[in-house]
Amino acid sequence: MIITRTPFRISFAGGGSDIPSFYQRHGGCVLSSTINKYMYISVHPSFGNEEIVLKYSKTEIVRGADEIEHKYFQDIMRRLRLSGVEIVSTADVPSGTGLGSSSSFTVGVLHALYSYKGKFVSKEKLAREACEIEIQDLGNLIGKQDQYAAAYGGLNFYEFKPDGTVLVEPVIMKTEAYLQLERNLILFYTGKLHSANEILGKQSQNISGGEKEKNQIKMCDLARELREELHSNNIDAMGEILNENWMLKKTLADGISDPVIDEYYERGLKYGALGGKLLGAGGGGFLLFYVPEKRRTELKIAMNLPELPLSFDRQGSAVIYVGLKPDIF
Protein backbone atom coordinates (compact mmCIF):
# COMPACT_ATOMS: atom_id res chain seq x y z
CA MET A 1 0.00 0.00 0.00
CA ILE A 2 1.04 3.58 -0.75
CA ILE A 3 -0.49 6.60 1.02
CA THR A 4 0.12 10.19 -0.05
CA ARG A 5 -0.76 13.36 1.84
CA THR A 6 -1.25 16.52 -0.22
CA PRO A 7 -2.01 19.94 1.33
CA PHE A 8 -4.73 22.47 0.61
CA ARG A 9 -3.78 26.13 0.15
CA ILE A 10 -4.78 29.64 1.10
CA SER A 11 -4.07 32.36 -1.47
CA PHE A 12 -3.24 35.90 -0.36
CA ALA A 13 -2.82 38.06 -3.47
CA GLY A 14 -2.71 37.86 -7.27
CA GLY A 15 -5.33 35.14 -7.73
CA GLY A 16 -6.74 35.02 -11.26
CA SER A 17 -3.49 36.08 -12.92
CA ASP A 18 -2.67 32.35 -13.26
CA ILE A 19 -5.43 31.95 -15.87
CA PRO A 20 -3.96 31.48 -19.39
CA SER A 21 -6.01 34.29 -20.94
CA PHE A 22 -4.22 36.70 -18.60
CA TYR A 23 -0.67 35.38 -18.06
CA GLN A 24 -0.13 34.74 -21.77
CA ARG A 25 -0.40 38.51 -22.33
CA HIS A 26 0.93 40.01 -19.12
CA GLY A 27 2.53 37.27 -17.07
CA GLY A 28 1.00 36.52 -13.69
CA CYS A 29 1.99 36.08 -10.07
CA VAL A 30 0.41 34.76 -6.87
CA LEU A 31 1.53 34.64 -3.26
CA SER A 32 0.04 31.76 -1.26
CA SER A 33 0.72 29.18 1.41
CA THR A 34 -0.28 25.58 1.93
CA ILE A 35 -1.89 24.71 5.26
CA ASN A 36 -2.18 21.69 7.54
CA LYS A 37 -5.39 20.45 5.93
CA TYR A 38 -4.88 17.58 3.51
CA MET A 39 -6.09 15.21 0.82
CA TYR A 40 -5.11 11.59 1.55
CA ILE A 41 -4.87 9.04 -1.26
CA SER A 42 -4.21 5.34 -0.65
CA VAL A 43 -3.42 2.79 -3.35
CA HIS A 44 -3.56 -0.97 -2.82
CA PRO A 45 -3.77 -3.96 -5.16
CA SER A 46 -7.40 -4.85 -5.76
CA PHE A 47 -8.57 -8.32 -4.77
CA GLY A 48 -9.55 -8.98 -8.36
CA ASN A 49 -6.40 -8.51 -10.40
CA GLU A 50 -8.19 -6.95 -13.37
CA GLU A 51 -10.57 -4.75 -11.40
CA ILE A 52 -10.23 -1.06 -10.64
CA VAL A 53 -11.90 -0.15 -7.34
CA LEU A 54 -12.38 3.56 -6.57
CA LYS A 55 -13.71 4.84 -3.27
CA TYR A 56 -14.53 8.53 -2.85
CA SER A 57 -18.03 9.91 -2.14
CA LYS A 58 -19.22 6.77 -3.93
CA THR A 59 -17.69 3.42 -4.85
CA GLU A 60 -16.91 2.33 -8.41
CA ILE A 61 -15.82 -1.17 -9.42
CA VAL A 62 -14.90 -1.36 -13.11
CA ARG A 63 -12.89 -3.48 -15.51
CA GLY A 64 -11.12 -0.64 -17.32
CA ALA A 65 -10.49 3.10 -17.34
CA ASP A 66 -13.14 3.74 -20.02
CA GLU A 67 -15.85 2.56 -17.59
CA ILE A 68 -14.88 5.02 -14.83
CA GLU A 69 -17.46 7.74 -14.11
CA HIS A 70 -15.19 10.04 -12.08
CA LYS A 71 -13.58 12.19 -14.79
CA TYR A 72 -10.37 12.91 -12.83
CA PHE A 73 -9.78 9.25 -12.00
CA GLN A 74 -10.59 8.26 -15.57
CA ASP A 75 -8.07 10.65 -17.10
CA ILE A 76 -5.30 9.72 -14.65
CA MET A 77 -5.84 5.95 -15.05
CA ARG A 78 -5.72 6.31 -18.82
CA ARG A 79 -2.57 8.38 -18.58
CA LEU A 80 -0.74 5.95 -16.28
CA ARG A 81 -2.23 2.77 -17.81
CA LEU A 82 -2.95 1.09 -14.51
CA SER A 83 -5.41 -1.63 -13.56
CA GLY A 84 -5.79 -4.07 -10.68
CA VAL A 85 -5.73 -1.35 -8.02
CA GLU A 86 -7.98 -0.04 -5.27
CA ILE A 87 -7.75 3.73 -4.69
CA VAL A 88 -9.33 5.51 -1.74
CA SER A 89 -9.52 9.30 -1.27
CA THR A 90 -10.19 11.06 2.04
CA ALA A 91 -10.08 14.81 2.71
CA ASP A 92 -9.96 17.01 5.81
CA VAL A 93 -12.20 19.61 4.11
CA PRO A 94 -14.91 19.14 1.44
CA SER A 95 -14.60 20.40 -2.12
CA GLY A 96 -16.09 23.72 -3.19
CA THR A 97 -14.73 25.64 -0.20
CA GLY A 98 -11.96 27.64 -1.92
CA LEU A 99 -8.94 25.71 -0.65
CA GLY A 100 -7.87 24.19 -3.99
CA SER A 101 -9.15 20.69 -3.18
CA SER A 102 -9.53 19.47 -6.78
CA SER A 103 -5.90 20.20 -7.55
CA SER A 104 -4.76 18.63 -4.27
CA PHE A 105 -6.73 15.54 -5.31
CA THR A 106 -5.14 15.45 -8.77
CA VAL A 107 -1.60 15.93 -7.45
CA GLY A 108 -2.17 13.39 -4.67
CA VAL A 109 -3.50 10.69 -7.00
CA LEU A 110 -0.67 11.21 -9.47
CA HIS A 111 1.90 11.05 -6.67
CA ALA A 112 0.38 7.90 -5.20
CA LEU A 113 0.14 6.06 -8.52
CA TYR A 114 3.64 6.98 -9.69
CA SER A 115 4.97 5.78 -6.33
CA TYR A 116 2.93 2.57 -6.61
CA LYS A 117 4.62 1.95 -9.97
CA GLY A 118 8.01 2.48 -8.31
CA LYS A 119 8.74 5.74 -10.12
CA PHE A 120 10.16 8.87 -8.50
CA VAL A 121 8.46 12.03 -9.73
CA SER A 122 9.59 15.59 -9.03
CA LYS A 123 7.34 18.29 -7.61
CA GLU A 124 7.60 20.15 -10.90
CA LYS A 125 6.40 17.12 -12.86
CA LEU A 126 3.51 16.53 -10.45
CA ALA A 127 2.37 20.14 -10.77
CA ARG A 128 2.81 20.30 -14.54
CA GLU A 129 0.92 17.05 -15.19
CA ALA A 130 -1.87 18.06 -12.82
CA CYS A 131 -2.25 21.29 -14.84
CA GLU A 132 -2.37 19.30 -18.08
CA ILE A 133 -5.09 17.02 -16.68
CA GLU A 134 -7.30 19.73 -15.19
CA ILE A 135 -6.89 22.49 -17.77
CA GLN A 136 -6.11 20.75 -21.07
CA ASP A 137 -7.64 17.27 -20.78
CA LEU A 138 -10.73 18.10 -18.72
CA GLY A 139 -11.18 21.65 -19.99
CA ASN A 140 -11.64 23.25 -16.58
CA LEU A 141 -11.48 27.06 -16.76
CA ILE A 142 -9.03 27.36 -13.88
CA GLY A 143 -5.48 28.56 -13.32
CA LYS A 144 -2.19 26.93 -12.32
CA GLN A 145 -1.58 28.18 -8.79
CA ASP A 146 -3.39 25.36 -6.96
CA GLN A 147 -1.50 22.51 -8.63
CA TYR A 148 1.88 24.10 -7.94
CA ALA A 149 0.98 24.93 -4.34
CA ALA A 150 -0.23 21.37 -3.69
CA ALA A 151 2.93 19.84 -5.14
CA TYR A 152 5.54 22.21 -3.67
CA GLY A 153 4.00 23.22 -0.34
CA GLY A 154 5.15 26.16 1.75
CA LEU A 155 4.79 29.94 1.69
CA ASN A 156 5.74 30.84 -1.89
CA PHE A 157 5.62 33.47 -4.60
CA TYR A 158 4.61 31.91 -7.94
CA GLU A 159 5.34 33.59 -11.25
CA PHE A 160 3.45 32.50 -14.38
CA LYS A 161 5.38 33.28 -17.55
CA PRO A 162 3.69 33.99 -20.92
CA ASP A 163 5.26 30.81 -22.36
CA GLY A 164 3.52 28.70 -19.70
CA THR A 165 6.49 28.06 -17.42
CA VAL A 166 6.09 28.60 -13.68
CA LEU A 167 8.76 29.89 -11.29
CA VAL A 168 8.49 29.03 -7.59
CA GLU A 169 10.21 31.32 -5.08
CA PRO A 170 10.00 30.64 -1.32
CA VAL A 171 9.20 33.65 0.85
CA ILE A 172 12.05 34.01 3.35
CA MET A 173 11.17 35.40 6.79
CA LYS A 174 12.54 35.42 10.31
CA THR A 175 11.16 32.53 12.35
CA GLU A 176 9.37 34.74 14.87
CA ALA A 177 7.68 36.77 12.11
CA TYR A 178 6.66 33.59 10.28
CA LEU A 179 5.09 32.10 13.42
CA GLN A 180 3.31 35.37 14.27
CA LEU A 181 1.90 35.51 10.75
CA GLU A 182 0.41 32.05 11.31
CA ARG A 183 -1.16 33.17 14.58
CA ASN A 184 -2.63 36.32 13.01
CA LEU A 185 -4.50 34.45 10.29
CA ILE A 186 -7.95 32.98 10.93
CA LEU A 187 -10.37 31.05 8.72
CA PHE A 188 -14.17 31.08 9.04
CA TYR A 189 -16.51 28.78 7.11
CA THR A 190 -19.42 30.63 5.51
CA GLY A 191 -21.43 27.47 5.00
CA LYS A 192 -21.76 28.12 1.27
CA LEU A 193 -20.17 26.05 -1.49
CA HIS A 194 -19.21 27.45 -4.89
CA SER A 195 -18.32 26.43 -8.44
CA ALA A 196 -14.82 27.71 -9.17
CA ASN A 197 -15.07 26.62 -12.79
CA GLU A 198 -18.15 28.77 -13.41
CA ILE A 199 -16.84 31.90 -11.69
CA LEU A 200 -13.36 31.66 -13.20
CA GLY A 201 -14.90 31.16 -16.63
CA LYS A 202 -16.65 34.52 -16.32
CA GLN A 203 -13.50 36.10 -14.92
CA SER A 204 -11.39 34.78 -17.80
CA GLN A 205 -13.75 36.41 -20.30
CA ASN A 206 -13.87 39.70 -18.40
CA ILE A 207 -10.12 40.31 -18.05
CA SER A 208 -9.48 40.53 -21.79
CA GLY A 209 -9.44 44.31 -21.70
CA GLY A 210 -10.74 47.42 -20.01
CA GLU A 211 -10.97 48.24 -16.31
CA LYS A 212 -11.20 44.62 -15.14
CA GLU A 213 -7.91 43.77 -16.86
CA LYS A 214 -6.27 46.80 -15.21
CA ASN A 215 -7.55 45.62 -11.83
CA GLN A 216 -6.08 42.17 -12.39
CA ILE A 217 -2.72 43.79 -13.17
CA LYS A 218 -3.01 45.75 -9.90
CA MET A 219 -3.62 42.47 -8.06
CA CYS A 220 -0.34 41.15 -9.48
CA ASP A 221 1.41 44.27 -8.26
CA LEU A 222 -0.05 43.64 -4.79
CA ALA A 223 1.37 40.10 -4.79
CA ARG A 224 4.83 41.50 -5.56
CA GLU A 225 4.42 44.17 -2.88
CA LEU A 226 3.38 41.58 -0.31
CA ARG A 227 6.43 39.45 -1.14
CA GLU A 228 8.73 42.39 -0.39
CA GLU A 229 6.91 43.28 2.82
CA LEU A 230 7.12 39.71 4.11
CA HIS A 231 10.80 39.51 3.16
CA SER A 232 11.17 42.57 5.44
CA ASN A 233 9.16 40.78 8.16
CA ASN A 234 6.45 43.46 8.04
CA ILE A 235 3.60 41.03 8.62
CA ASP A 236 0.95 43.70 9.34
CA ALA A 237 1.18 44.65 5.65
CA MET A 238 -0.72 41.40 5.07
CA GLY A 239 -3.94 42.97 6.38
CA GLU A 240 -3.88 46.04 4.16
CA ILE A 241 -2.87 44.11 1.04
CA LEU A 242 -5.52 41.42 1.62
CA ASN A 243 -8.14 44.16 1.82
CA GLU A 244 -6.94 45.93 -1.34
CA ASN A 245 -6.78 42.62 -3.21
CA TRP A 246 -10.33 41.70 -2.14
CA MET A 247 -11.76 45.05 -3.23
CA LEU A 248 -10.18 44.59 -6.66
CA LYS A 249 -11.16 40.94 -6.96
CA LYS A 250 -14.84 41.70 -6.42
CA THR A 251 -14.84 43.82 -9.59
CA LEU A 252 -13.66 41.00 -11.86
CA ALA A 253 -16.89 38.98 -12.22
CA ASP A 254 -20.42 38.62 -10.92
CA GLY A 255 -20.86 36.03 -8.18
CA ILE A 256 -17.50 36.53 -6.47
CA SER A 257 -19.28 38.07 -3.47
CA ASP A 258 -22.86 38.69 -2.33
CA PRO A 259 -24.62 40.77 0.37
CA VAL A 260 -24.23 38.04 3.03
CA ILE A 261 -20.50 37.66 2.44
CA ASP A 262 -20.08 41.45 2.30
CA GLU A 263 -21.84 41.74 5.67
CA TYR A 264 -19.55 39.13 7.23
CA TYR A 265 -16.53 40.89 5.78
CA GLU A 266 -17.53 44.30 7.15
CA ARG A 267 -18.20 42.73 10.54
CA GLY A 268 -14.71 41.24 10.51
CA LEU A 269 -13.14 44.67 9.89
CA LYS A 270 -15.30 46.21 12.62
CA TYR A 271 -14.12 43.72 15.22
CA GLY A 272 -10.37 43.82 14.74
CA ALA A 273 -9.37 42.40 11.36
CA LEU A 274 -7.01 44.56 9.30
CA GLY A 275 -8.08 42.88 6.08
CA GLY A 276 -9.23 39.64 4.54
CA LYS A 277 -10.72 37.92 1.52
CA LEU A 278 -12.93 35.09 0.43
CA LEU A 279 -10.70 32.21 -0.61
CA GLY A 280 -10.74 30.56 -4.01
CA ALA A 281 -12.74 31.83 -6.95
CA GLY A 282 -15.40 33.36 -4.71
CA GLY A 283 -19.09 32.75 -4.12
CA GLY A 284 -18.70 30.84 -0.86
CA GLY A 285 -16.34 28.67 1.14
CA PHE A 286 -13.88 30.16 3.64
CA LEU A 287 -13.31 33.75 4.70
CA LEU A 288 -9.71 34.50 5.62
CA PHE A 289 -8.88 37.39 7.95
CA TYR A 290 -5.64 38.88 9.18
CA VAL A 291 -6.18 40.01 12.77
CA PRO A 292 -3.68 41.05 15.48
CA GLU A 293 -3.47 38.23 18.00
CA LYS A 294 -4.77 40.39 20.88
CA ARG A 295 -8.09 40.88 19.04
CA ARG A 296 -8.49 37.30 17.80
CA THR A 297 -10.98 36.26 20.51
CA GLU A 298 -13.09 39.38 19.97
CA LEU A 299 -13.28 38.66 16.25
CA LYS A 300 -14.24 34.99 16.77
CA ILE A 301 -17.13 35.95 19.06
CA ALA A 302 -18.39 38.65 16.70
CA MET A 303 -18.27 36.49 13.57
CA ASN A 304 -20.19 33.56 15.12
CA LEU A 305 -19.05 31.26 12.30
CA PRO A 306 -17.24 27.90 12.47
CA GLU A 307 -13.47 28.40 12.63
CA LEU A 308 -11.01 26.14 10.85
CA PRO A 309 -7.76 26.15 12.88
CA LEU A 310 -4.70 26.36 10.65
CA SER A 311 -0.95 26.38 10.53
CA PHE A 312 1.33 26.47 7.51
CA ASP A 313 2.42 23.29 5.72
CA ARG A 314 6.02 23.29 4.47
CA GLN A 315 6.28 19.89 2.79
CA GLY A 316 3.84 19.76 -0.10
CA SER A 317 2.68 16.44 -1.51
CA ALA A 318 4.42 13.58 0.28
CA VAL A 319 4.38 9.80 0.49
CA ILE A 320 3.64 9.13 4.16
CA TYR A 321 3.31 5.33 4.10
CA VAL A 322 4.83 2.51 2.05
CA GLY A 323 3.70 -1.01 2.88
CA LEU A 324 4.81 -4.37 1.56
CA LYS A 325 2.97 -5.45 -1.56
CA PRO A 326 0.66 -8.33 -0.57
CA ASP A 327 0.36 -11.54 -2.55
CA ILE A 328 -2.92 -11.56 -4.45
CA PHE A 329 -3.92 -14.92 -5.99
Side-chain angles (χ1 to χ4, degrees):
M1 176 182 282
I2 298 288
I3 302 176
T4 58
R5 184 184 70 186
T6 305
F8 296 155
R9 65 95 189 96
I10 54 176
S11 178
F12 301 121
S17 68
D18 58 328
I19 298 173
S21 62
F22 181 84
Y23 73 68
Q24 287 172 357
R25 294 197 309 277
H26 304 286
C29 57
V30 169
L31 198 148
S32 71
S33 178
T34 48
I35 60 174
N36 63 335
K37 299 296 177 281
Y38 300 96
M39 178 72 67
Y40 297 89
I41 304 294
S42 66
V43 185
H44 187 277
S46 60
F47 186 75
N49 283 335
E50 299 304 317
E51 289 182 339
I52 299 172
V53 181
L54 306 174
K55 297 180 180 179
Y56 47 105
S57 58
K58 63 182 289 186
T59 298
E60 294 190 52
I61 302 175
V62 299
R63 301 290 293 181
D66 290 342
E67 299 177 20
I68 296 173
E69 294 180 15
H70 192 291
K71 62 181 183 178
Y72 286 76
F73 271 132
Q74 184 185 67
D75 193 279
I76 294 169
M77 297 302 286
R78 283 173 173 167
R79 179 178 286 251
L80 271 64
R81 299 180 180 179
L82 266 174
S83 62
V85 293
E86 179 174 322
I87 309 173
V88 181
S89 72
T90 308
D92 289 332
V93 181
S95 61
T97 53
L99 300 180
S101 58
S102 66
S103 297
S104 296
F105 173 85
T106 308
V107 169
V109 173
L110 282 171
H111 200 175
L113 292 180
Y114 272 120
S115 299
Y116 182 82
K117 294 178 72 172
K119 294 184 178 180
F120 168 78
V121 59
S122 68
K123 293 181 181 296
E124 169 62 29
K125 182 176 174 63
L126 282 175
R128 187 174 64 253
E129 287 201 12
C131 289
E132 291 172 0
I133 290 165
E134 292 196 85
I135 300 170
Q136 297 175 22
D137 296 357
L138 302 180
N140 292 331
L141 300 175
I142 61 174
K144 291 184 172 183
Q145 65 158 312
D146 293 353
Q147 300 87 347
Y148 275 82
Y152 278 85
L155 176 62
N156 295 316
F157 178 82
Y158 300 93
E159 190 169 1
F160 307 98
K161 296 291 189 179
D163 65 359
T165 58
V166 181
L167 304 182
V168 183
E169 175 190 326
V171 176
I172 308 300
M173 303 173 64
K174 290 183 177 179
T175 300
E176 56 267 33
Y178 180 91
L179 295 176
Q180 189 62 57
L181 177 61
E182 280 186 319
R183 292 192 291 267
N184 288 1
L185 293 170
I186 188 166
L187 274 179
F188 294 109
Y189 183 49
T190 65
K192 301 175 63 177
L193 301 181
H194 73 269
S195 171
N197 205 41
E198 180 180 347
I199 295 172
L200 287 173
K202 295 178 183 177
Q203 186 174 323
S204 180
Q205 294 174 357
N206 291 343
I207 57 175
S208 59
E211 195 64 28
K212 290 180 171 59
E213 184 173 41
K214 292 178 182 177
N215 287 347
Q216 184 69 77
I217 292 171
K218 291 177 183 177
M219 290 168 67
C220 272
D221 292 338
L222 287 175
R224 296 185 181 94
E225 180 183 344
L226 181 58
R227 173 186 57 178
E228 299 310 310
E229 294 289 358
L230 294 182
H231 279 321
S232 300
N233 302 296
N234 179 18
I235 62 171
D236 282 347
M238 174 68 79
E240 179 182 347
I241 291 174
L242 280 176
N243 183 64
E244 289 185 50
N245 188 85
W246 175 237
M247 294 300 111
L248 291 168
K249 181 175 180 177
K250 290 199 299 179
T251 70
L252 299 182
D254 294 335
I256 288 178
S257 189
D258 62 32
V260 174
I261 291 169
D262 288 342
E263 194 279 329
Y264 278 129
Y265 187 79
E266 292 304 319
R267 189 188 308 176
L269 296 185
K270 180 179 178 181
Y271 287 94
L274 301 184
K277 67 189 290 281
L278 196 65
L279 292 177
F286 283 95
L287 263 173
L288 172 72
F289 285 110
Y290 178 88
V291 57
E293 191 173 9
K294 63 184 180 181
R295 300 198 66 181
R296 186 182 182 93
T297 300
E298 178 186 356
L299 177 64
K300 288 170 63 174
I301 294 171
M303 292 301 294
N304 193 30
L305 288 171
E307 179 195 356
L308 182 69
L310 69 89
S311 61
F312 292 157
D313 162 271
R314 304 189 190 197
Q315 190 173 20
S317 188
V319 176
I320 60 170
Y321 179 81
V322 179
L324 295 176
K325 194 170 184 178
D327 294 326
I328 300 292
F329 60 86

